[in-house]
Amino acid sequence: MKKILAPSLLAGDHSCLKDSLLIVDQDGRNWIHLDIMDGHFVPNLSFGPQTVADLRKHSNIFFDVHLMLDQPQKYIEPFAQAGADLISIHVEPEYDIPDALEKIRSLGKKAGIVLNPDTAVEEVFPYLNDVELVLCMTVNPGFGGQSFIESVLAKVRALVALRSEREESFLIEVDGGVGPEHVPACLDAGVDVFVAGTAYFKGDKEARDEFAASIET
Ligand code: DX5
Ligand code: ZN
């Protein structure tokens, strides 16, 4: 399975997000990760569907949209219309998760399910048949620039084992605090998609290319 580095736009300059998008696009990345926060499920705000729609006009890169929302089902359609390619929703809030996943797929988008560092991996087991991606948070969501929680890789290993047992094909993504120093352990655990915000945007072109090459081999 091809490995993917998905830079997180959250770590770009929010006065000119288009420029950050174009850096990622011109670097040759295939995915960009877009973090949507509501100030309820997580203690921070980011940007909404209008921003995603405006960014969509400037690139065909795969938009990996991570909804950190208390009521994600209300915003699936706006983000689908804005040009999301994949929409991920958290397992923790109270809402009809099967219905929300079905909605994402009925709009022709790929669906992902997300779990926080303290959430047991078993919580996502009922949905594995209905998603293209499982996102294991390696920080408590809300802010970029936090430290990678390495113990989450045990969940990645459990998902890899279950995926092969059930003959499924969902991708496994990690998000939060990921830097070049974590790549070997993540590859060893079986991570497919590496979200990186701070570590990606702080590097010059050479550092970004080197980071990508260590993943996208
Ligand atoms: C955390 C977000 C992450 C964040 C990652 O709430 O979901 O996607 O942007 O940024 P870094 O790599 O800086 O931890
Ligand atoms: Zn994210």
Side-chain angles (χ1 to χ4, degrees):
M1 214 177 296
K2 180 119 175 64
K3 306 287 176 180
I4 298 163
L5 171 55
S8 173
L9 195 66
L10 192 69
D13 180 340
H14 286 235
S15 71
C16 46
L17 287 175
K18 179 177 97 175
D19 295 351
S20 301
L21 167 68
L22 293 179
I23 288 172
V24 173
D25 197 331
Q26 285 158 16
D27 277 355
R29 303 282 73 77
N30 294 314
W31 284 35
I32 192 161
H33 184 82
L34 304 174
D35 284 311
I36 313 300
M37 303 181 184
D38 67 352
H40 292 278
F41 180 62
V42 289
N44 197 8
L45 297 162
S46 56
F47 45 81
Q50 182 69 53
T51 307
V52 175
D54 288 346
L55 289 167
R56 180 80 285 175
K57 296 172 199 154
H58 299 283
S59 168
N60 291 321
I61 194 169
F62 189 89
F63 275 8
D64 168 25
V65 175
H66 173 195
L67 300 184
M68 283 163 272
L69 310 176
D70 221 19
Q71 296 289 300
Q73 76 282 7
K74 293 185 183 168
Y75 298 94
I76 288 167
E77 205 160 335
F79 282 104
Q81 279 166 3
D85 293 296
L86 182 150
I87 299 177
S88 294
I89 54 178
H90 273 258
V91 76
E92 294 87 4
E94 287 293 318
Y95 64 102
D96 188 338
I97 296 175
D99 190 63
L101 292 173
E102 167 57 29
K103 184 161 195 178
I104 295 170
R105 302 181 87 185
S106 72
L107 290 163
K109 308 299 179 181
K110 292 187 162 56
I113 189 84
V114 194
L115 68 165
N116 280 338
D118 292 337
T119 301
V121 70
E122 289 78 13
E123 298 287 321
V124 301
F125 287 1
Y127 312 111
L128 297 180
N129 210 11
D130 301 316
V131 296
E132 277 79 29
L133 177 138
V134 179
L135 166 50
C136 296
M137 290 305 301
T138 42
V139 298
N140 286 302
F143 298 92
Q146 304 183 70
S147 297
F148 181 80
I149 303 172
E150 186 146 357
S151 57
V152 172
L153 294 180
K155 293 194 245 187
V156 172
R157 291 180 191 280
L159 287 163
V160 168
L162 199 65
R163 179 174 63 188
S164 105
E165 192 185 306
R166 293 195 189 173
E167 297 183 358
E168 299 205 356
S169 58
F170 55 84
L171 296 171
I172 303 171
E173 181 177 57
V174 287
D175 178 12
V178 178
E181 66 275 30
H182 307 115
V183 171
C186 289
L187 287 174
D188 190 60
V191 171
D192 303 298
V193 185
F194 297 64
V195 175
T198 308
Y200 192 80
F201 283 102
K202 80 169 186 215
D204 59 14
K205 174 89 170 77
E206 196 183 345
R208 299 196 301 271
D209 283 350
E210 207 176 303
F211 188 10
S214 71
I215 292 167
E216 301 169 347
T217 47

